[in-house]
Amino acid sequence: MKNLYPLFFILLLFACTNSDTANTTETSTYIAEEAREAHRPYFHFTPPSKWMNDPNGMVYYDGEYHLFYQYYPDSTVWGPMHWGHAVSTDLVNWEHLPIALYPDSLGLIFSGSAVMDWKNTSGLGKDGEPPMIAIFTHHNMEGEKAKRLDFQVQSIAYSHDKGRTWTKYKGNPVISNPGIKDFRDPKVIWHEATQKWVMVFAAYDKAKFYTSPNLIDWTFASDFGIEGDTRLWECPDLFPIKTEDTKETKWILITSIQKEAPNGGTGTSYFIGDFDGERFIGNPEEQYWLDYGTDNYAFVTWSDIPKSDGRRLGIGWMSNWQYAQQVPTENWRSAMTLPRSLHLTNTPNGYRLFSRPIENINDLILVPATSRILSIMPYCMEVQLSFQKSDLDLVLYNFRGNEFRIGYDATKNEFFTDRTKAGKSDFSDKFANKIHTAPRLMESDTIKMQIYFDVASCELFADNGATCMTTIYFPEEDFSAIRLEKEPSQIYQFLTTNLK
Ligand code: FRU
């Protein structure tokens, strides 16, 4: 065992200087030290208070990235769903806005997407401006209680003021339910080749595709699923992406799965294939995981990112339904993952979807008003490691005896995270019951690990995003020190950046 930096023993909370408080407006994710709640992250999106789950309706318009989210403003556990709302010009610093969509006579507002109707195909535009259209599931509680099967339907709403206020379409629902109990989470895209809108949503154990000329009249097109699957699918996404090397276009179908993710509980998966405007053509047996950690669910991507930008950007809910409602935060529950860009990259086993934190994210986090502290802050930092393929075990710890481990096991050729001793865990027997692992996809002799720690979470992007693991934890006090328990003989890079 080797202590890397004796300076870590400084209690970092005391090292924090006052000038940090200069940037405490609502428009920043930065939070003044004295106002900080236990486990509240510094640079991840969290709701101001109360319950949040899936990211919804992500769309870019007129310089703003919109993030709507499943929100219950009256409690810290799941309840009647609204769409919360925030906007950002850089995907890191968010401005909280009033609730966008409230439950109504048709039901609660479940997950969905948003698009800009540039050509006003819906006729819902005003004054020559394109409407922003939200497409979501209405979930009718009475129908559910009465044990009907048709209580989830797809509806739309439109906004003429950049998503600030919304009107529900008077002809809702736009897709009614033929009698399928789980029938939800519409994601809509504009399909250039057929000049039609395409909706994909989850229907129990498969994805359903519909098409429309105008976002209002929808026609069933096809289903995609795995023969004999008994797992619940949720929050699908569909998009084209160019391979990083040959620039050939492939289509990705993302779907979140409610059980049996690689390390237990809920997780986000994807298929690679083609899409002809009506059908997703891919091998249902080749289902891959976007993230091997326990805490990246309902990951979906932004609509309407300008062509000149070209990135495929997305974000996930950083929790797991196995314990999301029990985690020990007091005034709010759940954070989103870091915003990520997706890349279809060649591996020894063919193409896989790599996830990377968005470019320059560290600069975006480090707002100018922040004063840098010279000692390393393990609870709020980025680590870049590159080393010769051999065991590595990096430990974050504090003086309450909490330890979080992350590393690489050369014998098994796996990355791992270990939160079994990382702090509070008695809220759920599913939380700290085992070490989590993820296969290494690349074969090079040099292993790269880029890791983001933010108070209560760790995101690993290994080998340029080939293997990702997102993990949350709840230490009894912030991690204040790190050590390498197992150290490779050759470390080429070990760079830490404080993100506060
Ligand atoms: C996924 C999910 C969605 C649903 C929403 C309800 O986490 O179960 O399928 O629309 O959450 O809040």
Side-chain angles (χ1 to χ4, degrees):
M1 177 175 71
K2 186 168 174 184
N3 278 319
L4 287 171
Y5 302 94
L7 265 183
F8 294 173
F9 286 95
I10 296 168
L11 261 180
L12 292 160
L13 279 182
F14 292 128
C16 184
T17 63
N18 281 335
S19 61
D20 284 354
T21 53
N23 194 317
T24 57
T25 65
E26 269 215 322
T27 59
S28 171
T29 47
Y30 182 75
I31 300 156
E33 199 64 44
E34 56 276 22
R36 246 189 88 216
E37 298 157 80
H39 312 302
R40 182 78 92 162
Y42 282 91
F43 55 86
H44 283 79
F45 180 83
T46 48
S49 63
K50 309 302 179 188
W51 171 265
M52 173 179 83
N53 55 290
D54 316 350
N56 293 153
M58 290 123 71
V59 62
Y60 177 86
Y61 180 54
D62 201 18
E64 290 178 330
Y65 298 91
H66 292 262
L67 173 60
F68 301 89
Y69 52 90
Q70 288 287 278
Y71 188 46
Y72 182 38
D74 296 332
S75 171
T76 50
V77 291
W78 191 91
M81 283 290 115
H82 302 54
W83 274 24
H85 189 197
V87 289
S88 171
T89 54
D90 62 11
L91 289 165
V92 173
N93 297 288
W94 293 96
E95 180 184 356
H96 293 293
L97 293 176
I99 290 173
L101 295 173
Y102 285 80
D104 57 42
S105 61
L106 291 181
L108 316 180
I109 315 297
F110 271 27
S111 285
S113 52
V115 291
M116 292 309 301
D117 182 10
W118 291 105
K119 299 182 183 176
N120 195 22
T121 60
S122 61
L124 297 170
K126 202 174 95 183
D127 303 333
E129 295 293 322
M132 184 182 280
I133 309 266
I135 308 99
F136 56 91
T137 299
H138 261 128
H139 174 103
N140 189 291
M141 289 300 270
E142 286 74 49
E144 185 183 17
K145 277 194 205 114
K147 298 220 174 336
R148 296 170 63 104
L149 294 176
D150 59 357
F151 57 86
Q152 294 186 338
V153 294
Q154 319 316 337
S155 291
I156 65 174
Y158 52 97
S159 168
H160 297 136
D161 57 0
K162 301 187 188 177
R164 269 52 178 187
T165 59
W166 290 86
T167 309
K168 307 244 181 59
Y169 175 60
K170 61 177 179 347
N172 278 338
V174 292
I175 297 184
S176 49
N177 186 322
I180 300 174
K181 188 168 153 280
D182 296 288
F183 193 77
R184 58 175 177 268
D185 307 340
K187 170 78 184 206
V188 169
I189 61 165
W190 174 251
H191 189 251
E192 202 59 50
T194 54
Q195 293 284 297
K196 277 193 183 154
W197 297 101
V198 173
M199 183 192 292
V200 56
F201 62 88
Y204 180 44
D205 55 357
K206 55 174 77 69
K208 280 197 173 293
F209 297 87
Y210 281 65
T211 62
S212 169
N214 58 9
L215 293 162
I216 291 168
D217 305 301
W218 292 92
T219 309
F220 171 73
S222 66
D223 284 331
F224 180 85
I226 306 170
E227 190 71 41
D229 202 0
T230 55
R231 304 162 307 165
L232 182 65
W233 290 30
E234 295 183 312
C235 300
D237 194 357
L238 175 73
F239 53 86
I241 192 166
K242 285 199 166 71
T243 59
E244 267 196 328
D245 52 1
T246 62
K247 308 288 178 210
E248 182 196 354
T249 298
K250 291 290 199 189
W251 284 77
I252 303 294
L253 173 64
I254 285 186
T255 180
S256 281
I257 302 280
Q258 262 278 5
K259 62 177 187 184
E260 296 162 16
N263 285 293
T266 54
T268 307
S269 76
Y270 67 94
F271 303 87
I272 307 173
D274 286 308
F275 185 71
D276 64 5
E278 303 231 314
R279 281 176 319 129
F280 180 79
I281 305 129
N283 185 347
E285 303 308 319
E286 288 179 9
Q287 184 180 27
Y288 306 114
W289 294 96
L290 192 69
D291 194 312
Y292 283 85
T294 38
D295 300 294
N296 180 357
Y297 195 61
F299 186 100
V300 284
T301 66
W302 260 273
S303 285
D304 292 276
I305 298 296
K307 279 214 178 72
S308 55
D309 176 322
R311 290 174 299 170
R312 178 53 57 177
L313 302 169
I315 204 166
W317 175 46
M318 199 156 57
S319 198
N320 188 310
W321 279 114
Q322 283 193 320
Y323 43 71
Q325 301 190 80
Q326 287 92 44
V327 297
T329 53
E330 211 165 302
N331 299 315
W332 91 100
R333 275 215 172 92
S334 306
M336 295 301 178
T337 65
L338 286 181
R340 301 171 182 193
S341 62
L342 302 180
H343 307 265
L344 194 58
T345 308
N346 220 344
T347 74
N349 291 311
Y351 285 108
R352 293 291 184 277
L353 204 54
F354 286 30
S355 305
R356 299 180 190 141
I358 55 164
E359 269 172 38
N360 301 330
I361 188 163
N362 295 8
D363 298 339
L364 299 171
I365 293 168
L366 290 166
V367 290
T370 308
S371 68
R372 306 290 158 76
I373 298 161
L374 290 178
S375 55
I376 290 171
M377 288 184 240
Y379 64 96
C380 189
M381 70 175 182
E382 182 220 11
V383 176
Q384 285 188 36
L385 267 164
S386 93
F387 54 97
Q388 192 180 35
K389 199 170 166 184
S390 50
D391 286 356
L392 178 129
D393 188 349
L394 178 74
V395 186
L396 265 65
Y397 60 104
N398 62 23
F399 298 102
R400 301 284 289 269
N402 305 148
E403 290 188 346
F404 175 76
R405 288 165 185 271
I406 179 164
Y408 173 72
D409 179 328
T411 316
K412 296 184 179 151
N413 195 27
E414 283 175 351
F415 297 99
F416 65 86
T417 62
D418 179 357
R419 64 181 176 192
T420 58
K421 298 189 187 68
K424 300 170 199 167
S425 65
D426 58 1
F427 53 87
S428 162
D429 57 7
K430 299 273 178 8
F431 187 75
N433 54 352
K434 60 180 183 209
I435 294 171
H436 301 152
T437 60
R440 182 169 191 238
L441 299 186
M442 306 309 275
E443 287 173 350
S444 56
D445 275 344
T446 302
I447 294 185
K448 284 191 189 165
M449 291 171 68
Q450 182 184 20
I451 315 168
Y452 280 85
F453 297 105
D454 188 6
V455 183
S457 64
C458 167
E459 284 158 281
L460 165 66
F461 303 91
D463 298 324
N464 290 324
T467 302
C468 293
M469 295 185 86
T470 302
T471 310
I472 57 173
Y473 44 73
F474 300 94
E476 289 154 296
E477 66 183 34
D478 287 341
F479 288 123
S480 49
I482 61 176
R483 63 174 190 266
L484 272 184
E485 189 92 16
K486 282 187 191 155
E487 194 178 337
S489 51
Q490 296 263 22
I491 297 185
Y492 309 119
Q493 186 188 39
F494 192 147
L495 192 72
T496 62
T497 308
N498 289 346
L499 290 174
K500 168 176 168 313

